[in-house]
Amino acid sequence: MSAAAYLPAPRLGEWLKELSGRYLVLAPQARGDTVVFAPFTGDAEPVLDRDAAMPPKQAVFPATEELLRYRRVKDPEDPGKVDVEVSASLRAVETVVFGAKPCGARGFLAYDRVFRSPAISDPYYAARRAKTLFITMACAAPGNSCFCHWVGSGPSDSSGSDILLTPVADGFVVQAVNERGEELMNSPLLEPAGTREAKAREIQDAAAKALPAAPDISRAKDSLMAVFEDLAFWEEVSAKCISCGACTYLCPTCYCFDIGDEDKGMSGRRLRTWDNCMSFRFTLEASGHNPRPTKAHRLRNRVGHKFSYYPALHGGAVACCGCGRCVRLCPVSVDIREIVLAAIARAARVREESAHD
Amino acid sequence: MSALEMLKDKIREALPSLEFVIGWEQGFDALHATPFFMRTAEDVEKLVFGPLCVHNLSTYLPSFRGRKVGIVLKGCDSRGAIELMQEKLVERENVVIFGLPCSGVADLAKLGRFAGDLDRVLAVTWDDETFVLTTPAGEVRVPREAALADKCLTCQFPNALEADHFAGEPLPPATGPDMGSDRGGEELAALEAMAPADLMAYWAEAMERCIRCYACRNACPMCVCRDHCIAHRRDLQWLGQDDTPREKLMFQLIHTLHLAGRCTECGECQRACPVGIPILALRRKMNRVIRELFDYQAGLDLQAVPPLFTFQVEEANIEERKW
C-alpha cells in the first residue's frame, strides 16, 4: 500500500475537477435545506460537514433502472403469430462517489453478498459496482443517531471504501485502501502526508472514543426469531410507525426491488424499481393474500431482515451499517436500535420464564 | 399545577376505560419528541409537551376505528381529528380528546439553518423569545420567530377546537401580516408570480430529489386511502415507475387534489419529507382556492359538510352561467 498523501483544503475542488475528467463524480451537494449526492459540476462546493440525507445508493442501485426493451413483431404471413424482440439495456459509467461517510459506503457490502455472490451475479448490479469507486470521509465527530460501532464498524472503517480521507487542519489525509484507490491517487495535487498521517490517526481514534459504549447485540439474530410470532410485541414497537417507506429508501443496505413492464402499444420496457417492506404491495400475492398484512408485520420484516434473516444467510454479517438515517429522518423517530434491544430483552425474559416452568 | 401535570392527571383518570392514549415522549435525542402510546399510569409519567412535539397525532386515528382510544391534540391537530370525524372516518364517541393550548412548534429545518448538523445538537432549551441549541461548537441562539413553523406564526387556532378535557389556559389566536385569505405568505406569492415554464422548472428541480418514499402521504391525517393509494397501483398505472420529476410531481398534484377542501394545513407532508421538498405550498395554493370559491376552511366544525362532499346547483362564487 502506498504511503498516505495530503490534500490541502483549497485544492479539493481542483482534485474533483480532475477526477470529473475521467469519471462521473457524485458528491454531496446542498439542495434547499438538505444534502444529496449529485453530479459534481464545479458550480458548488461539496457539503462535507454533515452526512447527506440520501446515501449514494443511486451509483450502484438506481431507484429505477431499465433492464430491457422489447418489441412485439407480427408475422406478416400469419398475424396471429407474434414474435418478441428483446434488447438488454445495461448502462454503467465509470463513477467516483466522493465524500460519503464510511458507513454509507460499507453498507453496499451487504448488497455484494446478494447481487455479486459466487452463486449468482446480477449483471446490472455487478457492472455498476465494478465501475464505482468510493472516496469516503472518515467521521471526525459522530452524530446522535450514529451506531456504526453496534454493527462491527467504526467512524473510520474503510472496509467499503477505495480511498479514505480524514479531515485534518486545513486539508485531508488521503489513504488508499486498495489498488483501485491507489490508481486514483496519481494526482499532482496530492502531497506527501508526512506527520499529518499520525494526526489523522489521532482524529480517527478520538472519533471512535466519542461514541458511547455499544451494547452487545450478538443475540439479536436468535432473539428476533424467538419473538417472531409474538405479534403483541411487534404491535407495541410499531405503534407509532406510519408505515411510509422513508427508512428503507434512505438505507444504504436495503435492496428489495420490484420488476414491472411498462407497455406502450407493441413495445415496452422492463423496469426494476426500489421496493420497500413498509408498503402493502410488498409480497402481496396474486391471490390477494398478503403474508405481511399490517405495519407490525412489515416492521418485523425490516428489523428481522437486517439483524436476523440476512445474518443467518450470510455468515453472521448484519445488513445494517449503523448510519442512523432511518432514525434521524423518520417522520416519527422510530428507532431501530430500540427495537433490536427490546427484542433481545423480550427473548431473554421468555427464556428465563420457561427455565422456571 | 402546570398544564402538563394537569394533562397527566386527566389521562391517568381516563386510561382505565381506554386502550391507550396517544401523546409524546422524548425521542432519541434532545431535539426529537416522538409519538407515544400510553397504556399504563407509569407510561403517563414519560409524557412530554413542548415546541418539539411537532407531530400531528390525529394521523393515527383512522386506523383505530371502532376502538376506544385517547389522544392529545394541539389546536391545529384538532382540525385533523375534526375533519376525519366530519368525513365519518373516525367516530367521535370512540375518541377521548385531551386538548391543549399550544404556543407554537419548532421547524427543525429552520433550526438546521442556524445549527448546521442537527445530528450533533446535544441539548435544547427555549423560552418565550429564544431557542438555545447546545452544539459541540458552542451555544446557538435562534430567535423564536425564526425557529417556529410557518403555520405557528399566523396561528388562528392555538387551542384544541374539540376536547373532552382541556388542560391549561386557552391562548388568544396569533395575529400577523399573513392572516385571512392571504395565508401562504411570501413563498406562495413568489410562486404565483412565476411564468408557467419557470414554475415547472422550479418544481422539476425540487422533485428531482424526491425518493418516492411517500412519507408525505403517510404523515398526512387526511390521506386515508393508505393501502389502496394510486401510487402503488400497477393494474392501471396512474403513475409510471420512471424516476423522473414528472412522475413525482404528478403524485403531488394528485395528493393535493385529493385534499381539496379537506387539508387543514398542518404541514405534516412537508415536515415528514426526508429530503426537504417544499410541498406544503401546493396544499396552500389549493386551500386558497377553496377559501375563495367556498369560503371554507377544513376541520373547524364537526357538523359542517366539506364543500366537495356536497353539491349545489348554483355555487355562490362559481359563476358558470357567465362563462
Side-chain angles (χ1 to χ4, degrees), chain A residues 33 141 144 240 269 281 332, chain B residues 60 113 119-120 232 242:
Chain A
D33 288 322
N144 299 341
K240 67 182 173 186
R269 302 179 305 150
R281 275 185 55 88
V332 293
Chain B
Y60 294 109
R113 289 172 208 161
D119 205 30
R120 305 239 162 79
H232 293 308
D242 271 325

Side-chain angles (χ1 to χ4, degrees), chain A residues 81-127:
Chain A
K81 269 168 73 180
V82 179
D83 201 8
V84 182
E85 287 174 2
V86 177
S87 61
S89 324
L90 206 164
R91 272 164 302 181
V93 293
E94 301 277 351
T95 303
V96 165
V97 174
F98 176 84
K101 297 278 188 240
C103 50
R106 184 179 180 268
F108 302 127
L109 300 179
Y111 290 29
D112 291 347
R113 296 181 199 104
V114 177
F115 290 122
R116 219 169 50 162
S117 77
I120 303 165
S121 178
D122 178 289
Y124 298 89
Y125 175 82

Side-chain angles (χ1 to χ4, degrees), chain A residues 33-34 50 54 64 141 143-145 239-240 242-246 249 262 269 273 280-281 328 331-332 335, chain B residues 29 34-35 37 55 60 113 117 119-121 209 211-213 218 227 232 234 237 240-242 271 275:
Chain A
D33 288 322
T34 199
R50 55 189 165 134
M54 271 302 283
T64 295
N144 299 341
S145 54
K240 67 182 173 186
I242 56 171
S243 211
C244 69
Y249 288 171
E262 296 216 333
R269 302 179 305 150
T273 50
F280 178 76
R281 275 185 55 88
R328 186 158 76 239
V332 293
D335 191 336
Chain B
D29 71 0
T34 181
F37 287 63
H55 324 80
Y60 294 109
R113 289 172 208 161
D117 191 350
D119 205 30
R120 305 239 162 79
V121 171
R209 63 179 181 271
I211 56 171
R212 291 186 295 184
C213 65
N218 288 38
D227 296 343
H232 293 308
R234 288 284 171 262
Q237 288 194 328
Q241 295 168 85
D242 271 325
R271 185 193 66 78
V275 289

